[in-house]
Amino acid sequence: MTSAPELAVFRPATRGDAVALAELERDTNLVALAHVFPGVPYPEADVRARWERLLADPEVRVEVAGPAGRLDVYLAWDDERLRHLGVRPEKWGRGLGRQAVARAHGVRRLWVLAANDRARGLYEHLGWAPTGREQQAEWPPYPTELEYAP
């Protein structure tokens, strides 16, 4: 069931958002990707460290929406690639993912887990398509990721 569109108010993320970013990514992935990583402990410290690196990288833009302590949406991109996008599961179907993708001006590619049907459906609905390139994801059990381009 799709809810009424919700307007997200994005702001640049700061280093102080690293924990909230890692928590939102965990909360989202435990619902959206449980079938991809069954029985695998969530790499909480590694994910937080990755967010800290991204927030310190001047080439990467990270934006968030929602309350500081419990974010609703995150988005990270550089001049070429959409790196990360997540929406709190309770907020799915409200247009927040679409709004986030629209903010990533100039991106020409992204990688998405082959088994992440929800994300793939969003990107395909927005006009993105698989390029035919594949790679292994960074976390065990290293599932397949597909490259998409608009």
Side-chain angles (χ1 to χ4, degrees):
M1 173 185 244
T2 302
S3 301
E6 183 173 321
L7 181 63
V9 178
F10 286 89
R11 66 170 173 80
T14 67
R15 289 183 182 182
D17 290 312
V19 170
L21 281 159
E23 288 174 352
L24 176 53
E25 185 171 355
R26 178 201 62 217
D27 294 350
T28 299
N29 288 345
L30 289 176
V31 173
L33 303 175
H35 66 289
V36 179
F37 299 97
V40 176
Y42 191 79
E44 199 130 2
D46 292 335
V47 171
R48 186 175 53 254
R50 190 196 62 221
W51 279 114
E52 290 168 352
R53 285 191 306 276
L54 287 171
L55 290 165
D57 186 338
E59 302 294 318
V60 177
R61 290 177 290 284
V62 180
E63 291 188 1
V64 296
R70 186 170 160 82
L71 300 172
D72 292 327
V73 184
Y74 62 77
L75 168 70
W77 78 98
D78 59 33
D79 288 338
E80 181 180 331
R81 179 170 57 117
L82 179 61
R83 292 174 173 233
H84 301 285
L85 170 65
V87 176
R88 184 165 298 287
E90 306 90 89
K91 301 280 186 167
W92 288 351
R94 298 185 187 184
L96 298 173
R98 175 189 298 266
Q99 290 174 56
V101 172
R103 298 186 67 76
H105 305 289
V107 297
R108 295 183 298 276
R109 65 186 178 104
L110 60 84
W111 291 92
V112 61
L113 289 171
N116 190 344
D117 294 332
R118 183 175 198 87
R120 290 181 63 196
L122 169 67
Y123 299 132
E124 290 170 13
H125 180 75
L126 296 176
W128 292 68
T131 66
R133 292 182 61 205
E134 296 182 0
Q135 68 181 17
Q136 283 187 317
E138 65 182 312
W139 312 111
Y142 309 107
T144 300
E145 292 182 325
L146 306 175
E147 182 184 55
Y148 271 60

